[in-house]
């Protein structure tokens, strides 16, 4: 076993998108290429993304399924690809943000009819926080979408990243003829529902065969496009891609498995293998001999009768081995895992060894919080599992005084899992939960009752944002806290957080307290590398 080779051949990434753009469909096609699944629908049928009303069965299903498809691995051209799944429902967006800390690159899917959407922008913001390399797939070209020039301009403007088209569409919607590969200088002809078939390829742009296939108007348009694009986009700048500044762009139709091969081939060529990750003390290189890793996601077990949970660990360096003692650095305790597991669709298997870039599921009886680090003994804490300002805030109201302890424990454990963010008001220890979407509150109420026997309600609070506050001036902070004592709370790590009623109030506070810095995420880029 050559560990260096194992690391170099791994590519760990996530497919991200605004809901409905085709993330699930594209993921499924990628898995089909790798032979990881045999039939279309294996991933898709598992998806619950349109749940808006109370439907606990659906919520439970969503939880179960996201465990089952947490990491989808396959071998392709002697590479090992790990796709980390992200939830389809926007209410679970925080899960996605956290998963992005565990990948080495992403593929961003955009719907060519809708262009860059709200969630696309948020996801990109998270990518930008850690300069994650991005490839863009513009999907649904079989639909009457927008002009490709408009689309790439929008990507550059709204997402703040430069683009580098690798394929370019010939026609769109009913007139979609195929994509021209700007590097390979050939066109692949579009055929609807072409999964698995050999596609027709035109290698000579001037050939009569190509002109006959696409027609004179498109042939002329292709000439003009190529003149323009070749002029504008010269050589691919690999370094700019790896620094998250340049995104190769592909056009296609995931449902028709079209344009996906081009995306995958290019991905294999350029996407990074596992790279160094920052801790509070130093950078950890994947090639280091000693094992390190961090937990980026925690899931309650599928069986509601057991309180076991599964913590998902991203391996950052060395080799992770089954049945070996590792140090849990936050609680300073040695733990060993007899059944580390990999998940793939409905298949589970025990993992004996795992390498940097891999993710293993660890059965956990309550030792882990999101962000926890395991090492061979060194006191390290991986950085960069951010919390983002929630959008909806509610206060917890206990409905059964006999069960206060259970309620307290349940709330803490669910917030360790990242289901919601817990804020505690210093006066009276009032508990405030913040989430991205309303669905999480249903999950919380349902689980507190089902798993902890704690009956509770929520009292809605009208907050606009949670802002982590910092200041270099002690007096300024003391003055701010005094003046705003009703709205300053502590997060799970005892950081001060200001709950702002409105955008206007926040603006006024910023003006009135120039020595206080307000952040809408718990992690600030400048602090990433600081001790
Ligand atoms: P998501 O995970 O990003 O939320 O998107 P998903 O793959 O579920 O795709 C959303 C919808 O878009 C699905 O239709 C899917 O079939 C469709 N779709 C995906 N890729 C393409 C494409 O290339 N062209 C076209 N025309 N449609 C595409 P749905 O009606 O919501 O679901 P279903 O009934 O097809 O399952």
């Amino acid at each position: 076993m050559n560990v260096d080779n194992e690391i170099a051949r791994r590519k760990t990434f996530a497919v991200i998108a605004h809901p409905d753009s085709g993330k699930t469909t594209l993921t499924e096609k990628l898995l089909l290429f790798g032979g990881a699944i045999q039939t279309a629908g294996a991933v898709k049928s598992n998806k619950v993304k349109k749940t808006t009303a109370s439907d606990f069965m659906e919520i439970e299903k969503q939880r179960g399924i996201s465990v089952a498809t947490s990491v989808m691995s396959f071998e392709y051209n002697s590479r090992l690809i790990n796709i980390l799944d992200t939830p389809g429902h926007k209410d679970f967006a925080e899960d996605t943000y956290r998963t992005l800390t565990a990948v080495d690159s992403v593929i961003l899917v955009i719907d060519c009819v809708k262009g860059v959407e709200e969630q696309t922008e948020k996801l990109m913001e998270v990518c930008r926080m850690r300069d994650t390399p991005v490839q863009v797939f513009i999907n649904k070209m079989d639909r009457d979408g927008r002009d490709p020039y408009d689309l790439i301009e929008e990507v550059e403007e709204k997402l703040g990243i430069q683009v580098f088209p690798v394929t370019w569409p010939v026609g769109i919607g009913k007139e979609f003829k195929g994509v021209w590969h700007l590097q390979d200088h050939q066109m692949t002809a579009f055929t609807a529902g072409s999964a698995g078939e050999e596609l027709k390829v035109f290698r000579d742009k001037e050939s009569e065969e190509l002109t006959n296939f696409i027609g004179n108007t498109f042939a002329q348009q292709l000439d003009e496009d190529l003149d323009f694009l070749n002029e504008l986009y010269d050589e691919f700048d690999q370094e700019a891609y790896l620094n998250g500044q340049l995104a190769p762009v592909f056009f296609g139709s995931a449902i028709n498995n079209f344009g996906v091969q081009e995306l995958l081939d290019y991905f294999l060529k350029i996407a990074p293998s596992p790279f160094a990750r920052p801790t509070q003390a130093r950078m950890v290189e994947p090639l280091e001999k000693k094992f390190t890793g961090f937990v980026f996601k925690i899931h309650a077990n599928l069986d509601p009768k057991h309180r076991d949970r599964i913590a998902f660990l991203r391996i950052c360096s060395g080799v992770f081995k089954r049945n070996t003692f590792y140090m849990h650095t936050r609680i300073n305790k040695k733990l060993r895992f007899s059944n580390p597991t990999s998940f793939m669709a409905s298949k589970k298997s025990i993992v004996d060894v795992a390498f940097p870039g891999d993710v293993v599921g660890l059965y956990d009886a309550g030792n882990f919080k999101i962000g926890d680090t395991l090492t061979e003994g060194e006191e390290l804490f991986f950085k960069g599992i951010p919390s983002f300002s929630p959008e909806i805030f509610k206060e917890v109201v206990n409905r059964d005084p006999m069960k206060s302890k259970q309620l307290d424990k349940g709330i803490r454990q669910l917030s360790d899992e990242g289901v919601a963010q817990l804020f505690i008001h210093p006066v009276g220890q009032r508990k405030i939960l913040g989430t991205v979407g309303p669905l999480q509150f249903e999950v919380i109420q349902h689980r507190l009752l089902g798993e902890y026997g704690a009956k509770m309600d929520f009292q809605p609070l009208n907050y606009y944002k949670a802002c982590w506050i910092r200041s270099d001036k002690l007096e300024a902070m003391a003055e701010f806290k005094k003046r705003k004592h009703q709205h300053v709370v502590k997060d799970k790590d005892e950081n001060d957080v200001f709950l702002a009623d409105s955008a206007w109030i926040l603006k006024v506070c910023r003006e009135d307290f120039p020595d206080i810095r307000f952040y809408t995420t718990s992690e600030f880029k400048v602090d990433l590398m600081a001790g």
Side-chain angles (χ1 to χ4, degrees):
M1 177 175 69
N2 182 326
V3 178
D4 294 11
N5 277 353
E6 286 300 331
I7 299 172
R9 76 189 195 97
R10 274 162 166 75
K11 310 242 178 210
T12 301
F13 76 106
V15 183
I16 53 174
H18 186 93
D20 263 345
S21 314
K23 175 180 82 77
T24 317
T25 313
L26 179 68
T27 306
E28 185 178 282
K29 300 301 174 196
L30 292 169
L31 293 172
L32 280 169
F33 270 108
I37 53 170
Q38 265 66 48
T39 51
V43 177
K44 198 173 183 49
S45 59
N46 284 342
K47 171 185 55 165
V48 185
K49 63 177 183 204
K50 292 190 180 117
T51 320
T52 46
S54 310
D55 188 340
F56 296 130
M57 279 313 288
E58 291 298 271
I59 294 169
E60 288 298 297
K61 228 157 90 193
Q62 165 101 28
R63 278 175 51 216
I65 280 125
S66 41
V67 168
T69 59
S70 277
V71 194
M72 294 164 276
S73 310
F74 65 93
E75 298 235 4
Y76 187 76
N77 280 357
S78 64
R79 306 277 171 175
L80 196 137
I81 320 271
N82 293 315
I83 308 182
L84 271 50
D85 193 28
T86 55
H89 200 293
K90 71 170 176 26
D91 284 12
F92 296 98
E94 271 226 71
D95 260 1
T96 304
Y97 304 154
R98 283 189 293 257
T99 298
L100 290 182
T101 61
V103 301
D104 297 309
S105 68
V106 301
I107 292 180
L108 176 64
V109 184
I110 292 175
D111 179 336
C112 74
V113 182
K114 300 199 177 129
V116 172
E117 296 174 84
E118 191 194 338
Q119 195 57 22
T120 329
E121 290 188 61
K122 283 199 183 154
L123 289 162
M124 194 58 203
E125 252 174 62
V126 181
C127 291
R128 216 172 301 114
M129 286 177 80
R130 41 184 52 73
D131 303 324
T132 310
V134 179
Q135 268 181 270
V136 174
F137 185 75
I138 300 188
N139 190 28
K140 306 197 187 180
M141 292 302 290
D142 58 318
R143 287 211 180 145
D144 289 318
R146 297 183 19 206
D147 177 73
Y149 290 107
D150 265 9
L151 286 165
I152 58 168
E153 200 178 307
E154 191 175 70
V155 168
E156 293 209 320
E157 269 176 19
K158 286 199 177 164
L159 301 184
I161 191 163
Q162 286 204 303
V163 297
F164 182 85
V166 178
T167 63
W168 193 256
V170 180
I172 193 165
K174 283 183 209 70
E175 301 255 56
F176 185 42
K177 304 289 180 193
V179 290
W180 183 270
H181 200 298
L182 291 151
Q183 313 272 294
D184 296 349
H185 311 289
Q186 60 182 33
M187 189 184 110
T188 311
F190 173 67
T191 325
S194 61
E197 288 163 32
E198 194 66 29
L199 295 176
K200 187 155 185 51
V201 174
F202 299 93
R203 293 203 166 77
D204 180 3
K205 185 164 75 67
E206 308 305 331
S207 75
E208 210 175 306
E209 205 197 354
L210 175 62
T211 311
N212 288 341
F213 182 77
I214 62 178
N216 279 328
T217 316
F218 283 122
Q220 203 177 338
Q221 176 76 46
L222 180 62
D223 273 343
E224 284 170 23
D225 287 345
L226 294 188
D227 283 349
F228 181 75
L229 294 166
N230 288 330
E231 177 88 6
L232 207 61
Y233 301 101
D234 190 7
E235 286 237 319
F236 178 62
D237 184 344
Q238 170 83 6
E239 202 164 308
Y241 159 72
L242 291 176
N243 291 333
Q245 292 156 349
L246 181 73
V249 176
F250 299 79
F251 292 84
S253 168
I255 197 126
N256 291 296
N257 204 7
F258 186 79
V260 181
Q261 178 84 61
E262 288 84 347
L263 175 78
L264 180 60
D265 287 345
Y266 210 71
F267 172 83
L268 292 180
K269 215 161 76 182
I270 63 164
S273 308
F275 47 73
R277 291 188 129 71
T279 68
Q280 96 294 358
R282 60 183 186 85
M283 292 298 280
V284 171
E285 299 287 339
L287 288 173
E288 289 179 21
K289 289 274 169 293
K290 290 195 171 166
F291 154 78
T292 63
F294 68 89
V295 171
F296 64 94
K297 165 165 151 171
I298 294 179
H299 252 291
N301 203 344
L302 302 184
D303 183 352
K305 284 188 225 83
H306 296 100
R307 208 169 290 160
D308 275 9
R309 306 184 298 174
I310 298 166
F312 288 89
L313 179 88
R314 147 96 198 202
I315 289 136
C316 298
S317 68
V319 181
F320 172 87
K321 294 186 185 124
R322 184 180 164 203
N323 271 329
T324 306
F325 277 103
Y326 292 121
M327 178 66 83
H328 181 322
T329 56
R330 180 176 55 82
I331 56 174
N332 200 17
K333 192 169 151 188
K334 285 196 163 172
L335 301 173
R336 92 179 145 169
F337 306 92
S338 48
N339 295 310
T341 305
S342 72
F343 296 88
M344 172 60 221
S346 52
K347 249 181 29 216
K348 281 199 278 186
S349 47
I350 303 282
V351 176
D352 285 317
V353 285
F355 300 94
D358 288 344
V359 170
V360 292
L362 305 176
Y363 287 92
D364 167 45
N367 283 312
F368 285 117
K369 276 191 195 186
I370 283 176
D372 281 347
T373 300
L374 287 182
T375 70
E376 289 192 19
E378 189 177 352
E379 207 182 340
L380 294 175
F381 302 92
F382 280 98
K383 299 200 131 201
I385 307 273
S387 297
F388 295 84
S389 172
E391 318 214 328
I392 308 175
F393 299 85
K394 293 188 183 188
E395 186 172 337
V396 174
V397 183
N398 188 358
R399 288 288 175 226
D400 183 355
M402 304 297 286
K403 295 274 170 68
S404 304
K405 267 200 176 144
Q406 285 89 330
L407 178 65
D408 204 56
K409 184 170 176 200
I411 286 180
R412 282 188 189 276
Q413 290 209 338
L414 294 191
S415 72
D416 288 352
E417 274 178 38
V419 179
Q421 287 182 57
L422 173 63
F423 300 104
I424 299 205
H425 206 292
V427 184
Q429 299 294 302
R430 282 162 49 213
K431 293 188 183 63
I432 295 169
L433 291 178
T435 70
V436 177
L439 203 54
Q440 276 127 310
F441 286 107
E442 292 182 33
V443 174
I444 294 163
Q445 203 169 21
H446 175 63
R447 288 188 56 192
L448 284 173
L449 188 61
E451 295 169 34
Y452 300 88
K455 217 163 156 189
M456 50 83 64
D457 272 332
F458 287 113
Q459 159 131 28
L461 298 171
N462 258 337
Y463 287 120
Y464 158 72
K465 280 238 149 75
C467 295
W468 283 262
I469 46 176
R470 291 266 172 112
S471 179
D472 304 323
K473 298 196 173 142
L474 284 177
E475 319 84 77
M477 186 59 105
E479 175 63 16
F480 181 79
K481 283 189 186 170
K482 197 169 118 202
R483 293 256 301 271
K484 299 282 171 195
H485 68 274
Q486 282 179 325
H487 304 281
V488 177
V489 292
K490 295 275 186 197
D491 76 359
K492 62 179 188 329
D493 302 317
E494 297 283 309
N495 294 310
D496 290 318
V497 176
F498 171 57
L499 300 177
D501 286 325
S502 64
W504 186 78
I505 298 262
L506 186 56
K507 181 172 166 283
V508 172
C509 283
R510 282 198 158 113
E511 285 163 8
D512 288 355
F513 297 91
D515 291 327
I516 307 276
R517 301 188 300 277
F518 299 82
Y519 300 94
T520 49
T521 103
S522 66
E523 172 197 294
F524 329 116
K525 200 162 186 178
V526 284
D527 288 346
L528 243 179
M529 287 304 302

